[in-house]
Amino acid sequence: MTVSPAAVLTPIPAAPTGMGPRIAPYLLVGPLMLLLFVFAILPCLLTLLLAFFDVDILAGTIRFVGFENFTRAAARGEVLNSLRVTFTYILLTVPPSMILGLLIALAINSLRRGRAIWQAVYFLPVAATLVAMSIVWRWMFVGRRGIVDQTLGQMTGLVDWLNSPVLSLPAVAIVGNWQQIGFVVVLYLAALASVPRHQIDAARVDGAGAWHRFWHVTWPAIGPTTVFVGIITSVNALRVFDTVSTMTGGGPSRSSQTLAHLMWERGIYFFDIGGGSVVTLVLLALAIAATALQRIMTARLEKAGTR
Amino acid sequence: MIARNGSARKAGPQGMGKNPMPVAVRNLTKHWPGAERPVFSSLDIDCPAGGITIIVGPSGCGKTTLLRCLSGLETPTSGSILFGKQDVTQVDSQHRGVAMVFQNYALYPTKTVFENIAFPLRMARLDPQSIRTRVRAAAALTRMEPYLDRYPAQLSGGQRQRVGIARAIVRGPAVLLMDEPLSNLDTKLRIEMRAELGALQRQIGSTTVYVTHDQTEALALADHLIVMRDGRIEQQGAPEDIFTSPANTFVADFLGSMNLVDVTRSEDRVFVTSGAVRLDGLPKAPLSPMFRLGFRAEDVQLGPVDGEKATLPVTVRRSELMGSERLVHMECGGLALRARLKEVVRPDDRLELHIPAGALHYFDETGKRVAGAV
Amino acid sequence: MTQSIDTTRARLVAGGTHLALAAGAVFMLLPFWLMLRTSFTAPDQVFAGNILALSDFSLENYRRVFAEVPLLRYYLNGIFVVTAIFIGQVIVCVPAAYALSRLRFSGREVGLWLVLAAMMVPYHATAIPIYVLLSRFGMINTHGALILPFIGSAFSVFLLRQFFLSIPQSVFESARLDGASSLRTLMHIVFPMARPAIVTFGILSFVSHWNDYFWPSFVLRNDFAATVPFGIVKFLDQELGADYGPQMAAATLTVLPLLVGFLIAQRQLIAGIAMTSGQVD
């Protein structure tokens, strides 16, 4: 006689009670909390402290110096210079890469075939190791014998960019744009994919031309992304380091020294922890303001379901 | 074969080796911190061992929170929950040994049907041989045997819920909880699954607590029925008893939407309060000056009725064909009434409705049942 | 008739678009071509003839790089550091994100607040105090200095939390009723479900840390723990002043592993960038 299926399902006793449920959550979040505190919260507090001390890492000594680090930095004038350079860099990279990125994204989005290939081509610089490509660009910008001087230089007379106080920052910015456009393209393509197809079709049926379709349907839909991309590319500009470090070293005479590079030069190259901390404070204030804005936008956009 | 056994009202010999235990709730209150009113307060419930207890009520009445307290997923503010003689109020859901079927199936998307059903057994560290035997048995009972290698995403809604049910019964749970298990299915499937679920429960014999907002489901499946509203129990008992003598107008309306007419008595005559329409008959009516008369749409007759009866003059407004009969919408003294009739009637027809004495219900002004059909 | 005129016009527009995109692509790809071209040209031929054409083919530059640069060590360091960061992130961030989104415990709000606060602080801005901390513990020039700061990733916790919140709570409740402890729910339910998110994250984390030059510049002074970008640049600056052939060979060897990886995982990488806006730390 076969046993009925129901008969097989005899009760299995429940597991005995333990302490597990109470302590498990703390085991799961504990390591993260420790790491976040040590590498995110503590450094912020430490910056405030270090800015008022003279720290000698090698000798292991620390001495309170009050505002001396600040007055010295002001006397050198380098922080203001780097602020100016950084903002100029933002102006030279954010608007161009956003406009070009949007145009390229619109072009790719309008295609029926070959979208993936073009996307990959424009994205290639994003994935490539930036510091290695900076070495390539340095070679392209080399005075006289580099490709830039041999072509563009002969046509315009603008030569030896990396050694020119006027052209060194634009040279770095060109690489910044080159590297960043693919990133902007990807973000815009994602936004364009979410533009409701039926709205565009409706506009087409209503006889709207390409420009009207863009201005009245597409643009409002990708507006939030534009704000978002603007913030995020600006934040990225605050951390520009690889290109500056390899192409110009911040020179000539600090004409291309961004805040991130100044921070490294002060704190690491010159071993001046106090001076480096003053730069850190400036950078931190800017970065926190910008990331706060960016995270708020992220949260808001995600809530609105735009992305 | 086995599935035919569903008509037995008590757990038959199939629920073998199990000692189904009653589930009881004593003076149970749940109050969210910061909330103005408790979700429910001072509930006392007895769920018969091995039977299906159905908690029914409109959304927001606290039925789901009550079920979650039984499962241990929520902790009640005060009171106690008893499984058999054991007080489980403070036992974590992980250790309570109850099984639950969820409205949205709650399957594990990365596991096959087999592994979904096997999961509670793996957690109990059963040996592989027993796991296979049990999963096969549970799959056989839910007719999911051909699909054991599929993933949840490859199944239809009905099949997913079968997996959910198989996973719940595979451990042979003493207590089985179901949270609106059929609500995500379409109507036809819901009726099919309802019958199957009832038959399955008889075979398994687990004490089952089942929450739904669907009154037909409640009447069809319940051994013990609990009607809830606003965190209170309006009535509990055998479904037939509740249907035939609802304790108040809410229960009367919620289960089988009863026609309710406010009535005024002056001297020896009774009128519909809103329209001063005179009513005749009303056997066993209360003697108070104001009360409510209730009757169901299917108890209305047009032709001559023998014996005691009540008679209402009405005007036909609308008639909807529902197969062999019609749902007729009528008006009496400004009140909208419904009747299920075989006869053909037309809008604006004036009719006399007759309701036999056995189908009349009387409620007082507060809605409480006072007299009438038993 | 109009039909065919319309299609012809559409084809012309598409053709023009392809042409415009190709023109832009020349600018995007030119550095890659110059890098390859120069790296395969014999050192004495680099400045001879057309700067764009590959007139002769030589492996001399690569021979020199391999002979003089401890490339293998840089690669191994890179692989070790990137793998360690990824494994660490998975072990630390997935459980924490799960607990912060789906478990109830007192102190959860504080934990969430800490994650949000940490997200506001980009590590680029706090490099100096972290450097001071690491040097206090004698970790300068070690692999640990490249790994530890990145394991507790607030942003990945934030994104994983969004992911877990998108899964119905009943799935986790069901596991609990099925007798699974939090840890076993984590192992049996959470990790398998989070796999797509973890893969996306792994790719982004890999790319970002493999390419990183900024952080090693702060915490490394010699090339003991150097990853590829840092090691190569340090070497170039010290040894190869204006020898562009070997420089380009070194750059090629730095970029190559990622370009190969990019061709393999291109879809996931682009999708990941679109999803996270390129933020991984």
Side-chain angles (χ1 to χ4, degrees), chain A residues 159-180:
Chain A
V159 292
D160 204 6
W161 290 51
L162 299 183
N163 286 316
S164 149
V166 182
L167 292 177
S168 62
L169 186 61
V172 173
I174 285 176
V175 182
N177 277 301
W178 171 80
Q179 204 255 345
Q180 188 164 267

PDB file of all heavy atoms in Angstrom, chain A residues 159-180:
ATOM      1  N   VAL A 159      51.772  77.005 -29.355  1.00  0.00           N
ATOM      2  CA  VAL A 159      52.679  75.862 -29.237  1.00  0.00           C
ATOM      3  C   VAL A 159      53.152  75.663 -27.800  1.00  0.00           C
ATOM      4  O   VAL A 159      53.011  76.556 -26.957  1.00  0.00           O
ATOM      5  CB  VAL A 159      53.914  76.024 -30.155  1.00  0.00           C
ATOM      6  CG1 VAL A 159      53.504  75.928 -31.614  1.00  0.00           C
ATOM      7  CG2 VAL A 159      54.602  77.341 -29.856  1.00  0.00           C
ATOM      8  N   ASP A 160      53.739  74.499 -27.596  1.00  0.00           N
ATOM      9  CA  ASP A 160      54.310  74.136 -26.288  1.00  0.00           C
ATOM     10  C   ASP A 160      53.355  74.418 -25.130  1.00  0.00           C
ATOM     11  O   ASP A 160      53.681  75.118 -24.193  1.00  0.00           O
ATOM     12  CB  ASP A 160      55.632  74.892 -26.084  1.00  0.00           C
ATOM     13  CG  ASP A 160      56.519  74.146 -25.087  1.00  0.00           C
ATOM     14  OD1 ASP A 160      56.119  73.024 -24.679  1.00  0.00           O
ATOM     15  OD2 ASP A 160      57.575  74.673 -24.731  1.00  0.00           O
ATOM     16  N   TRP A 161      52.180  73.824 -25.203  1.00  0.00           N
ATOM     17  CA  TRP A 161      51.096  74.095 -24.254  1.00  0.00           C
ATOM     18  C   TRP A 161      51.528  73.838 -22.819  1.00  0.00           C
ATOM     19  O   TRP A 161      51.233  74.618 -21.926  1.00  0.00           O
ATOM     20  CB  TRP A 161      49.892  73.201 -24.561  1.00  0.00           C
ATOM     21  CG  TRP A 161      49.180  73.553 -25.838  1.00  0.00           C
ATOM     22  CD1 TRP A 161      49.733  73.716 -27.065  1.00  0.00           C
ATOM     23  CD2 TRP A 161      47.784  73.777 -25.980  1.00  0.00           C
ATOM     24  NE1 TRP A 161      48.771  74.022 -27.983  1.00  0.00           N
ATOM     25  CE2 TRP A 161      47.551  74.062 -27.345  1.00  0.00           C
ATOM     26  CE3 TRP A 161      46.695  73.749 -25.113  1.00  0.00           C
ATOM     27  CZ2 TRP A 161      46.292  74.332 -27.843  1.00  0.00           C
ATOM     28  CZ3 TRP A 161      45.426  74.003 -25.604  1.00  0.00           C
ATOM     29  CH2 TRP A 161      45.229  74.305 -26.960  1.00  0.00           C
ATOM     30  N   LEU A 162      52.200  72.724 -22.601  1.00  0.00           N
ATOM     31  CA  LEU A 162      52.452  72.315 -21.220  1.00  0.00           C
ATOM     32  C   LEU A 162      53.423  73.242 -20.506  1.00  0.00           C
ATOM     33  O   LEU A 162      53.469  73.276 -19.278  1.00  0.00           O
ATOM     34  CB  LEU A 162      52.964  70.870 -21.179  1.00  0.00           C
ATOM     35  CG  LEU A 162      51.991  69.834 -21.736  1.00  0.00           C
ATOM     36  CD1 LEU A 162      52.552  68.440 -21.574  1.00  0.00           C
ATOM     37  CD2 LEU A 162      50.640  69.933 -21.043  1.00  0.00           C
ATOM     38  N   ASN A 163      54.218  73.991 -21.266  1.00  0.00           N
ATOM     39  CA  ASN A 163      55.154  74.910 -20.620  1.00  0.00           C
ATOM     40  C   ASN A 163      54.681  76.353 -20.690  1.00  0.00           C
ATOM     41  O   ASN A 163      55.439  77.272 -20.395  1.00  0.00           O
ATOM     42  CB  ASN A 163      56.536  74.784 -21.263  1.00  0.00           C
ATOM     43  CG  ASN A 163      57.197  73.487 -20.825  1.00  0.00           C
ATOM     44  OD1 ASN A 163      57.157  73.133 -19.647  1.00  0.00           O
ATOM     45  ND2 ASN A 163      57.759  72.756 -21.774  1.00  0.00           N
ATOM     46  N   SER A 164      53.428  76.551 -21.075  1.00  0.00           N
ATOM     47  CA  SER A 164      52.907  77.909 -21.162  1.00  0.00           C
ATOM     48  C   SER A 164      51.981  78.177 -19.981  1.00  0.00           C
ATOM     49  O   SER A 164      51.060  77.390 -19.716  1.00  0.00           O
ATOM     50  CB  SER A 164      52.142  78.085 -22.470  1.00  0.00           C
ATOM     51  OG  SER A 164      51.095  79.018 -22.292  1.00  0.00           O
ATOM     52  N   PRO A 165      52.206  79.269 -19.240  1.00  0.00           N
ATOM     53  CA  PRO A 165      51.344  79.574 -18.099  1.00  0.00           C
ATOM     54  C   PRO A 165      49.891  79.764 -18.517  1.00  0.00           C
ATOM     55  O   PRO A 165      48.981  79.575 -17.724  1.00  0.00           O
ATOM     56  CB  PRO A 165      51.916  80.891 -17.558  1.00  0.00           C
ATOM     57  CG  PRO A 165      53.263  81.031 -18.160  1.00  0.00           C
ATOM     58  CD  PRO A 165      53.275  80.261 -19.427  1.00  0.00           C
ATOM     59  N   VAL A 166      49.661  80.149 -19.781  1.00  0.00           N
ATOM     60  CA  VAL A 166      48.283  80.370 -20.240  1.00  0.00           C
ATOM     61  C   VAL A 166      47.659  79.075 -20.736  1.00  0.00           C
ATOM     62  O   VAL A 166      46.473  78.820 -20.505  1.00  0.00           O
ATOM     63  CB  VAL A 166      48.266  81.424 -21.372  1.00  0.00           C
ATOM     64  CG1 VAL A 166      46.837  81.700 -21.820  1.00  0.00           C
ATOM     65  CG2 VAL A 166      48.947  82.696 -20.909  1.00  0.00           C
ATOM     66  N   LEU A 167      48.440  78.238 -21.426  1.00  0.00           N
ATOM     67  CA  LEU A 167      47.866  77.076 -22.109  1.00  0.00           C
ATOM     68  C   LEU A 167      47.952  75.772 -21.315  1.00  0.00           C
ATOM     69  O   LEU A 167      47.333  74.785 -21.705  1.00  0.00           O
ATOM     70  CB  LEU A 167      48.565  76.886 -23.465  1.00  0.00           C
ATOM     71  CG  LEU A 167      48.285  77.977 -24.500  1.00  0.00           C
ATOM     72  CD1 LEU A 167      49.088  77.717 -25.770  1.00  0.00           C
ATOM     73  CD2 LEU A 167      46.797  78.051 -24.821  1.00  0.00           C
ATOM     74  N   SER A 168      48.694  75.758 -20.212  1.00  0.00           N
ATOM     75  CA  SER A 168      48.849  74.474 -19.514  1.00  0.00           C
ATOM     76  C   SER A 168      47.525  73.984 -18.945  1.00  0.00           C
ATOM     77  O   SER A 168      47.184  72.804 -19.068  1.00  0.00           O
ATOM     78  CB  SER A 168      49.897  74.602 -18.411  1.00  0.00           C
ATOM     79  OG  SER A 168      49.488  75.553 -17.450  1.00  0.00           O
ATOM     80  N   LEU A 169      46.759  74.896 -18.345  1.00  0.00           N
ATOM     81  CA  LEU A 169      45.474  74.459 -17.772  1.00  0.00           C
ATOM     82  C   LEU A 169      44.494  74.029 -18.870  1.00  0.00           C
ATOM     83  O   LEU A 169      43.865  72.969 -18.738  1.00  0.00           O
ATOM     84  CB  LEU A 169      44.878  75.572 -16.899  1.00  0.00           C
ATOM     85  CG  LEU A 169      43.622  75.170 -16.137  1.00  0.00           C
ATOM     86  CD1 LEU A 169      43.900  74.026 -15.172  1.00  0.00           C
ATOM     87  CD2 LEU A 169      43.045  76.348 -15.371  1.00  0.00           C
ATOM     88  N   PRO A 170      44.354  74.797 -19.979  1.00  0.00           N
ATOM     89  CA  PRO A 170      43.504  74.310 -21.073  1.00  0.00           C
ATOM     90  C   PRO A 170      43.937  72.939 -21.589  1.00  0.00           C
ATOM     91  O   PRO A 170      43.085  72.111 -21.930  1.00  0.00           O
ATOM     92  CB  PRO A 170      43.673  75.381 -22.148  1.00  0.00           C
ATOM     93  CG  PRO A 170      43.948  76.628 -21.380  1.00  0.00           C
ATOM     94  CD  PRO A 170      44.748  76.197 -20.180  1.00  0.00           C
ATOM     95  N   ALA A 171      45.246  72.680 -21.640  1.00  0.00           N
ATOM     96  CA  ALA A 171      45.703  71.360 -22.097  1.00  0.00           C
ATOM     97  C   ALA A 171      45.168  70.273 -21.178  1.00  0.00           C
ATOM     98  O   ALA A 171      44.640  69.250 -21.628  1.00  0.00           O
ATOM     99  CB  ALA A 171      47.229  71.329 -22.140  1.00  0.00           C
ATOM    100  N   VAL A 172      45.297  70.515 -19.870  1.00  0.00           N
ATOM    101  CA  VAL A 172      44.769  69.543 -18.901  1.00  0.00           C
ATOM    102  C   VAL A 172      43.263  69.415 -19.067  1.00  0.00           C
ATOM    103  O   VAL A 172      42.692  68.319 -19.008  1.00  0.00           O
ATOM    104  CB  VAL A 172      45.128  69.977 -17.466  1.00  0.00           C
ATOM    105  CG1 VAL A 172      44.451  69.075 -16.458  1.00  0.00           C
ATOM    106  CG2 VAL A 172      46.632  69.950 -17.255  1.00  0.00           C
ATOM    107  N   ALA A 173      42.592  70.548 -19.323  1.00  0.00           N
ATOM    108  CA  ALA A 173      41.134  70.530 -19.467  1.00  0.00           C
ATOM    109  C   ALA A 173      40.695  69.755 -20.701  1.00  0.00           C
ATOM    110  O   ALA A 173      39.653  69.098 -20.697  1.00  0.00           O
ATOM    111  CB  ALA A 173      40.593  71.958 -19.520  1.00  0.00           C
ATOM    112  N   ILE A 174      41.509  69.827 -21.764  1.00  0.00           N
ATOM    113  CA  ILE A 174      41.173  69.057 -22.974  1.00  0.00           C
ATOM    114  C   ILE A 174      41.154  67.568 -22.644  1.00  0.00           C
ATOM    115  O   ILE A 174      40.234  66.838 -23.013  1.00  0.00           O
ATOM    116  CB  ILE A 174      42.188  69.355 -24.108  1.00  0.00           C
ATOM    117  CG1 ILE A 174      41.892  70.746 -24.685  1.00  0.00           C
ATOM    118  CG2 ILE A 174      42.100  68.292 -25.209  1.00  0.00           C
ATOM    119  CD1 ILE A 174      42.877  71.199 -25.735  1.00  0.00           C
ATOM    120  N   VAL A 175      42.161  67.132 -21.905  1.00  0.00           N
ATOM    121  CA  VAL A 175      42.193  65.719 -21.506  1.00  0.00           C
ATOM    122  C   VAL A 175      41.003  65.402 -20.606  1.00  0.00           C
ATOM    123  O   VAL A 175      40.367  64.352 -20.725  1.00  0.00           O
ATOM    124  CB  VAL A 175      43.523  65.383 -20.796  1.00  0.00           C
ATOM    125  CG1 VAL A 175      43.560  63.902 -20.436  1.00  0.00           C
ATOM    126  CG2 VAL A 175      44.695  65.751 -21.670  1.00  0.00           C
ATOM    127  N   GLY A 176      40.677  66.345 -19.719  1.00  0.00           N
ATOM    128  CA  GLY A 176      39.515  66.151 -18.838  1.00  0.00           C
ATOM    129  C   GLY A 176      38.243  65.950 -19.642  1.00  0.00           C
ATOM    130  O   GLY A 176      37.448  65.059 -19.354  1.00  0.00           O
ATOM    131  N   ASN A 177      38.050  66.785 -20.657  1.00  0.00           N
ATOM    132  CA  ASN A 177      36.880  66.640 -21.521  1.00  0.00           C
ATOM    133  C   ASN A 177      36.903  65.318 -22.258  1.00  0.00           C
ATOM    134  O   ASN A 177      35.908  64.601 -22.317  1.00  0.00           O
ATOM    135  CB  ASN A 177      36.839  67.789 -22.541  1.00  0.00           C
ATOM    136  CG  ASN A 177      36.219  69.030 -21.945  1.00  0.00           C
ATOM    137  OD1 ASN A 177      35.077  69.009 -21.497  1.00  0.00           O
ATOM    138  ND2 ASN A 177      36.980  70.106 -21.910  1.00  0.00           N
ATOM    139  N   TRP A 178      38.064  65.025 -22.829  1.00  0.00           N
ATOM    140  CA  TRP A 178      38.217  63.780 -23.591  1.00  0.00           C
ATOM    141  C   TRP A 178      37.813  62.574 -22.736  1.00  0.00           C
ATOM    142  O   TRP A 178      37.134  61.668 -23.189  1.00  0.00           O
ATOM    143  CB  TRP A 178      39.677  63.657 -24.040  1.00  0.00           C
ATOM    144  CG  TRP A 178      40.046  62.345 -24.644  1.00  0.00           C
ATOM    145  CD1 TRP A 178      39.812  61.937 -25.924  1.00  0.00           C
ATOM    146  CD2 TRP A 178      40.718  61.264 -23.999  1.00  0.00           C
ATOM    147  NE1 TRP A 178      40.293  60.670 -26.110  1.00  0.00           N
ATOM    148  CE2 TRP A 178      40.851  60.226 -24.947  1.00  0.00           C
ATOM    149  CE3 TRP A 178      41.216  61.048 -22.711  1.00  0.00           C
ATOM    150  CZ2 TRP A 178      41.464  59.013 -24.657  1.00  0.00           C
ATOM    151  CZ3 TRP A 178      41.824  59.841 -22.418  1.00  0.00           C
ATOM    152  CH2 TRP A 178      41.949  58.840 -23.389  1.00  0.00           C
ATOM    153  N   GLN A 179      38.226  62.623 -21.474  1.00  0.00           N
ATOM    154  CA  GLN A 179      37.978  61.475 -20.603  1.00  0.00           C
ATOM    155  C   GLN A 179      36.526  61.434 -20.122  1.00  0.00           C
ATOM    156  O   GLN A 179      35.972  60.381 -19.882  1.00  0.00           O
ATOM    157  CB  GLN A 179      38.920  61.559 -19.405  1.00  0.00           C
ATOM    158  CG  GLN A 179      39.202  60.231 -18.742  1.00  0.00           C
ATOM    159  CD  GLN A 179      38.476  60.076 -17.434  1.00  0.00           C
ATOM    160  OE1 GLN A 179      37.989  61.066 -16.895  1.00  0.00           O
ATOM    161  NE2 GLN A 179      38.392  58.862 -16.948  1.00  0.00           N
ATOM    162  N   GLN A 180      35.914  62.616 -19.996  1.00  0.00           N
ATOM    163  CA  GLN A 180      34.636  62.700 -19.297  1.00  0.00           C
ATOM    164  C   GLN A 180      33.433  62.594 -20.218  1.00  0.00           C
ATOM    165  O   GLN A 180      32.341  62.224 -19.784  1.00  0.00           O
ATOM    166  CB  GLN A 180      34.610  64.045 -18.558  1.00  0.00           C
ATOM    167  CG  GLN A 180      33.436  64.236 -17.633  1.00  0.00           C
ATOM    168  CD  GLN A 180      33.725  65.375 -16.689  1.00  0.00           C
ATOM    169  OE1 GLN A 180      34.221  65.182 -15.594  1.00  0.00           O
ATOM    170  NE2 GLN A 180      33.411  66.569 -17.126  1.00  0.00           N
TER     171      GLN A 180
END
